[in-house]
């Protein structure tokens, strides 16, 4: 049995209502849009999904709505990271109860250090013991490979990681840690830098999770397919094409660019949550013009 996840996963936006709450109707529309685009899974309430900016009660409603809307058609990993270990653990427990397929968490946000990380992740993973747990490896002063080795010893349900960094040697090392595990134990290392998806695929990363996949999941699916079919050159060409749009998004701020793109694609995800800068109508126009110039329509249609 293969318990591993794979493929192209959007780090789903969480549509906001005018007052900063959640627009659950738009959220359901967004889920349907992603399923129609044949994404392989959904990663909800992460950085892109503004999980840390949303109240715990609203985070629970988001999970419930997403699970209902998806109805088991693709796996869902819920990011439960929180400044409070207890709150993250309670959210993990709720996600398991509601049928999520995995939980994930950023490194401890405020109280860092290795031992604190073990305690934080240990408590979260133990609160959802039937689900694989995925550390979100991003930022922090950590040796990611040693951390993952140690977590494999300490946490029985660690199932992989979301690795958001540019170091393809390091991601390969972490992928290889799975080599010694029993065959029925899943080990899914997702790459999280959209700009590097194809290179992580070349290091055998089975999937990628990222913000720009809300707007253009197709190119990532196709670049992986091309590589796996033996056509690395085509995969690299697709990566470069996608990177033109990603670069334009980074220039304007990825959060703002995602909102503007999704609105142009027919789903109004509402305002960015505080403390992000609101998008003025003039800025929206400039951003959209730049994204269109960078190939938004063609990439989104793939
Ligand atoms: O992990 C996102 N990374 C961060 C997901 O939010 C730090 C990525 O999808 C980036 O937004 C993307 C553009 O730099 O690679």
């Amino acid at each position: 049995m293969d318990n591993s996840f794979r493929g192209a996963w959007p780090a789903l936006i969480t549509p906001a209502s005018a007052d900063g709450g959640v627009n659950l109707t738009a959220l359901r529309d967004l889920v349907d849009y992603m399923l129609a685009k044949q994404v392989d899974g959904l990663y909800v309430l992460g950085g892109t999904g503004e999980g840390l900016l949303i109240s715990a009660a609203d985070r629970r409603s988001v999970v419930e709505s997403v699970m209902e809307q998806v109805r088991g058609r693709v796996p869902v990993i819920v990011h439960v990271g929180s400044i409070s270990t207890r709150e993250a653990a309670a959210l993990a427990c709720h996600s398991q109860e509601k049928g999520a397929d995995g939980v994930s968490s950023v490194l401890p946000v405020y109280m860092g250090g290795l031992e604190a990380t073990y305690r934080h992740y240990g408590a979260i993973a133990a609160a959802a013991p039937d689900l694989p747990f995925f550390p979100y490896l991003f930022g922090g002063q950590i040796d990611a490979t040693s951390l993952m080795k140690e977590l494999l010893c300490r946490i029985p349900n660690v199932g992989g990681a979301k690795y958001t960094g540019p170091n393809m040697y390091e991601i390969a090392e972490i992928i290889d840690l799975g080599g010694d595990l029993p065959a029925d134990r899943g080990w899914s290392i997702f790459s999280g830098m959209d700009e590097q998806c194809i290179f992580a695929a070349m290091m055998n990363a089975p999937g990628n999770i990222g913000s720009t996949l809300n707007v253009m999941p197709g190119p990532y699916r196709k670049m992986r397919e091309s590589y796996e079919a033996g056509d690395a050159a085509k995969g690299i060409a697709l990566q470069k094409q996608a990177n033109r749009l990603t670069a334009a998004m980074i220039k304007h701020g990825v959060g703002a660019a995602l909102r503007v793109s999704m609105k142009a694609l027919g789903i109004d995800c509402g305002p960015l949550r505080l403390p992000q800068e609101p998008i003025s109508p003039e800025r929206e126009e400039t951003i959209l013009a730049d994204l269109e110039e960078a190939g938004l329509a063609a990439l989104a249609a793939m």
Side-chain angles (χ1 to χ4, degrees):
M1 193 171 89
D2 185 4
N3 284 323
S4 297
F5 297 130
R6 51 169 295 103
W9 292 46
L12 200 69
I13 298 167
T14 310
S17 50
D19 63 358
V22 178
N23 180 344
L24 293 174
T25 310
L27 176 64
R28 286 177 184 263
D29 291 346
L30 186 62
V31 168
D32 283 345
Y33 180 91
M34 294 305 154
L35 292 173
K37 287 280 175 190
Q38 294 176 298
V39 301
D40 296 290
L42 295 173
Y43 185 88
V44 301
L45 292 166
T48 307
E50 301 170 320
L52 283 145
L53 307 178
I54 297 175
S55 74
D58 279 350
R59 290 170 79 165
R60 287 179 163 83
S61 310
V62 167
V63 171
E64 287 159 24
S65 295
V66 168
M67 294 318 297
E68 272 175 33
Q69 199 67 19
V70 170
R71 290 197 315 278
R73 287 173 286 175
V74 295
V76 175
I77 296 179
V78 180
H79 175 263
V80 299
S82 167
I83 195 160
S84 147
T85 305
R86 278 186 69 173
E87 180 165 296
L91 290 169
C93 176
H94 171 263
S95 286
Q96 175 171 305
E97 225 172 81
K98 297 298 168 191
D101 300 279
V103 295
S104 178
S105 165
V106 283
L107 293 158
V109 177
Y110 185 60
M111 307 277 182
L114 263 188
E115 288 302 325
T117 302
Y118 300 145
R119 281 192 293 272
H120 189 65
Y121 280 164
I124 297 169
D130 302 340
L131 300 185
F133 172 68
F134 299 89
Y136 178 1
L137 304 172
F138 171 62
Q141 300 293 315
I142 47 152
D143 170 350
T145 309
S146 310
L147 174 68
M148 289 304 293
K149 249 190 217 162
E150 191 61 29
L151 292 178
L152 263 173
C153 301
R154 293 185 188 228
I155 300 180
N157 54 327
V158 64
K162 174 177 187 296
Y163 179 91
T164 296
N167 187 337
M168 294 296 119
Y169 171 71
E170 190 169 58
I171 197 173
E173 278 190 319
I174 297 172
I175 291 164
D176 289 344
L177 293 179
D180 303 329
L181 299 174
D184 62 346
R185 162 106 193 239
W187 188 246
S188 312
I189 306 302
F190 293 95
S191 63
M193 266 189 89
D194 305 356
E195 303 88 320
Q196 304 248 28
C197 175
I198 188 71
F199 306 113
M202 289 174 175
M203 293 293 121
N204 293 325
N208 69 307
I209 295 172
S211 57
T212 68
L213 281 80
N214 284 278
V215 174
M216 49 167 170
Y220 296 97
R221 187 182 66 246
K222 289 206 162 86
M223 67 181 80
R224 184 178 303 281
E225 278 167 8
S226 305
Y227 174 66
E228 286 170 3
D231 193 348
K234 184 164 174 214
I236 291 169
L238 281 160
Q239 179 78 69
K240 286 187 168 173
Q241 195 184 339
N243 286 1
R244 273 188 62 215
L245 183 59
T246 302
M249 290 183 152
I250 291 171
K251 176 179 144 201
H252 291 290
V254 175
L258 289 175
R259 290 299 208 272
V260 171
S261 317
M262 290 318 298
K263 195 167 160 192
L265 295 171
I267 299 177
D268 189 342
C269 295
L272 286 169
R273 290 179 176 83
L274 285 168
Q276 298 165 100
E277 189 189 348
I279 310 165
S280 66
E282 306 79 64
R283 210 173 133 225
E284 181 170 342
E285 224 173 275
T286 317
I287 295 175
L288 186 57
D290 267 11
L291 299 179
E292 278 171 348
E293 169 75 27
L296 170 63
L299 286 159
M302 266 187 202

